[in-house]
Amino acid sequence: MDYSQSFAISAVGMNIERTRVDVAALNLANANTVQGVGGVSYQPLRVIAQARGVGVLPSGANDAAAFGALVAQGLDADATAAAAPLMQVVPTNMPPRLVYEPSHPLADERGYVAYAAVDTATEMVSMMSATRAYEANVSAMNTSRTLALRALDIGSNA
């Protein structure tokens, strides 16, 4: 495996985690958004990352050669680019959070105001875990860079 593959893997991971942080920040920014007169309100978003299958072993297959072929296919540079995870940002479709505020100008006839269904604790945990995963990808990329530079140093001294 060459170093460009490890850099590409870390870059894909950092891109996904950056998107998770951006989405969590957007959700937190709209946590106290009130449903408008037309009934349209902010829908919290979430990031879905799904791995693309490079290949699948048949069920019950224990063949070491078949597994080795899958590993070789996964280490192929062209297959690595095609195997990058699919990432989507989708709305959660949660019903609005109703808060009793009869003096609010947008309260309904029962005195409830519809806020966006954003759970701030969940969003903060999501933001923290995405930040830690981003830092892990940066660390992996820096380690790969250091290894590549040391390999070049060894090659130049020979």
Side-chain angles (χ1 to χ4, degrees):
M1 179 166 104
D2 64 6
Y3 292 106
S4 64
Q5 286 177 313
S6 63
F7 294 148
I9 291 168
S10 293
V12 167
M14 288 189 293
N15 186 30
I16 290 172
E17 300 308 329
R18 181 185 48 83
T19 304
R20 285 182 56 208
V21 168
D22 290 346
V23 166
L26 183 64
N27 286 341
L28 286 170
N30 287 296
N32 292 322
T33 302
V34 179
Q35 182 173 341
V37 178
V40 178
S41 66
Y42 175 78
Q43 280 293 321
L45 303 172
R46 66 180 174 158
V47 177
I48 298 176
Q50 296 176 332
R52 293 184 198 176
V54 174
V56 180
L57 282 174
S59 61
N62 298 1
D63 191 14
F67 180 74
L70 286 178
V71 170
Q73 183 182 7
L75 293 178
D76 181 28
D78 296 329
T80 302
L86 296 172
M87 183 176 53
Q88 298 176 332
V89 178
V90 297
T92 59
N93 296 325
M94 297 290 294
R97 176 176 47 101
L98 297 176
V99 177
Y100 184 69
E101 293 181 15
S103 61
H104 195 282
L106 293 176
D108 63 6
E109 61 278 351
R110 297 177 300 151
Y112 287 96
V113 179
Y115 288 97
V118 175
D119 183 12
T120 55
T122 302
E123 296 302 327
M124 287 301 296
V125 168
S126 175
M127 185 180 289
M128 287 173 45
S129 68
T131 303
R132 299 292 182 255
Y134 187 91
E135 290 170 355
N137 281 304
V138 168
S139 177
M141 184 176 280
N142 286 337
T143 301
S144 295
R145 183 179 134 272
T146 302
L147 288 172
L149 291 175
R150 295 257 170 101
L152 289 173
D153 286 343
I154 291 171
S156 67
N157 292 336

